[in-house]
Amino acid sequence: MLSLHTSPLIQPGAGDSGGMNVYVRELGSALAQAGLDCTTFTRRTSAAQPEVVQVEPGHRVVHVTAGSYDLPKERLDEVLTEFGDRVAEHLRGDHPADVLHANYFLSGLVAHRLKHELDLPFVSTFHTLAKVKAEGGDPESEWRHRAEQEIIGCADAICVSCTEEENLFRRLYGDPKGRMEVVAPGVEHAFFAPGDRRGARVALDLPLDVPVVLFVGRIQPLKSPDVAVRALAELRHPDALLLVVGGASGGDGDAEVAHLHALVAELGVQGQVRFVPPQPHHILSSYYRAADAVIVPSRSESFGLVALEAAACGVPVVAAGVGGLLTLVDHGETGYLVPDRDPAVFAHYLREIIDNPTHAKALGERGAARAARYTWAFAAARLRRLYADLGVRERVLCG
Ligand code: UDP
């Protein structure tokens, strides 16, 4: 596995760490448990990181030195060659591989090169795509657009997380001719399962008798935490609480945090919004269980692990009708989808949930039943078969 720009070992929910980190970490474990040997190469970002971390038997993370530790994400293009050289040394030495699986386009560019040098099949999971982000109002550089085209021309398989993402990919990038694989991410059901709301609120020191709405994610415009705050204000429920769990992310992250605090003050909901720093992944289950509803107002979302984790905990989700959220949320059955991200419409559906506990319980139960289909073991089994197929299939001729 290549995960150049962010490590599966770091705390998700802030900076460049989110769903992709959870995906790489959980898949590495699930692949190892399925009998594969999985090494993830990531860029070293501190002197304290050991070269090799054995996460569990059959699953290790290798920190590769390439460029200064504090190099910002926008400048990682400068170290792709160095990172690729170091990974190639490992692959020729202690950690030979049968297949390269690149996560995000930066790793994809490295895999594109190593595929040819080492004669290995190459799987790409983009996680986010420049054209999808651009459609959601977050334009990316021309260089990234070109890089993605190169990767698409070279990858032996392109993994997407759901049919929504597949359709979006085909519409924006064309038909990759038999190379597209739908590999749905999973959720760790040992942590994310329905539980006692009261107990969770006591554990988190939250009031027992007020509606609690939860937002979980990196604070950046793409995730639209401002829509969550506006929806809370539109609820016009003076006791309702909004928990915002996560930290600043990306170039606009700090500005977004400042904007959010200003918005809270402007809308006069200071007493109703609590900002919570990023939480260890498994601890989040208590936050989900404590909530009446989880709000996911993202501008675009290739999958949306937060929506899946909430559902697995039996909590209704009110989400923007974009990307993978269209697959994860069954409108009126497990939660609600809001087509145009209108805060008043979010508030309307939140009210439906808050004011109708029996209905909310039914939404949550159906959500948990649907979420049970998604496991990391299943994702690993699909990938295992794909990797085996690629070993015997003719390679894609780049271009
Ligand atoms: N997450 C976490 N702690 C936090 C906030 C988020 O572990 O404080 C995790 C969350 O559980 C989820 C991931 O970060 O697994 C976010 O994934 P998602 O697909 O929702 O968004 P992305 O970050 O990929 O845009």
Side-chain angles (χ1 to χ4, degrees), residues 214-364:
L214 176 66
F215 170 97
V216 174
R218 297 173 288 124
I219 310 288
Q220 57 162 242
L222 183 85
K223 295 285 178 186
S224 304
D226 57 327
V227 173
V229 171
R230 288 185 191 281
L232 173 82
E234 291 278 351
L235 256 184
R236 298 185 212 293
H237 194 312
D239 294 332
L241 269 186
L242 170 70
L243 302 183
V244 178
V245 182
S249 166
D252 300 326
D254 288 333
E256 187 67 13
V257 170
H259 166 61
L260 215 50
H261 283 278
L263 185 66
V264 166
E266 181 193 317
L267 298 175
V269 289
Q270 294 92 324
Q272 292 182 257
V273 183
R274 290 199 193 165
F275 290 93
V276 181
Q279 297 296 303
H281 188 55
H282 60 284
I283 301 283
L284 275 183
S285 52
S286 294
Y287 283 86
Y288 291 125
R289 286 185 197 127
D292 290 84
V294 170
I295 182 167
V296 186
S298 313
R299 286 187 200 165
S300 68
E301 200 70 75
S302 58
F303 187 66
L305 281 176
V306 161
L308 177 59
E309 292 157 6
C313 290
V315 179
V317 177
V318 185
V322 294
L325 297 169
L326 291 164
T327 302
L328 286 171
V329 180
D330 197 351
H331 185 74
E333 290 291 310
T334 68
Y336 294 103
L337 288 165
V338 178
D340 54 5
R341 298 168 56 257
D342 180 346
V345 181
F346 273 103
H348 168 76
Y349 288 129
L350 289 172
R351 213 174 287 118
E352 287 280 310
I353 292 168
I354 290 164
D355 292 346
N356 301 294
T358 310
H359 174 56
K361 190 163 174 281
L363 292 174

Side-chain angles (χ1 to χ4, degrees), residues 159-176:
C159 292
V160 289
S161 57
C162 55
T163 42
E164 286 298 335
E165 196 187 359
E166 178 180 5
N167 294 340
L168 209 55
F169 187 100
R170 288 184 192 282
R171 177 165 66 77
L172 295 170
Y173 292 86
D175 180 7

Side-chain angles (χ1 to χ4, degrees), residues 83-135:
F83 185 84
D85 289 347
R86 298 290 89 77
V87 173
E89 283 163 17
H90 278 278
L91 295 177
R92 289 196 180 97
D94 292 348
H95 304 296
D98 297 304
V99 60
L100 293 168
H101 188 154
N103 291 277
Y104 199 59
F105 84 101
L106 291 169
S107 295
L109 283 173
V110 175
H112 168 34
R113 167 193 155 196
L114 295 185
K115 160 176 166 160
H116 304 291
E117 278 185 30
L118 302 171
D119 191 22
L120 289 173
F122 154 34
V123 178
S124 166
T125 304
F126 281 102
H127 296 274
T128 62
L129 284 158
K131 289 188 184 178
V132 178
K133 285 188 78 178
E135 274 204 338

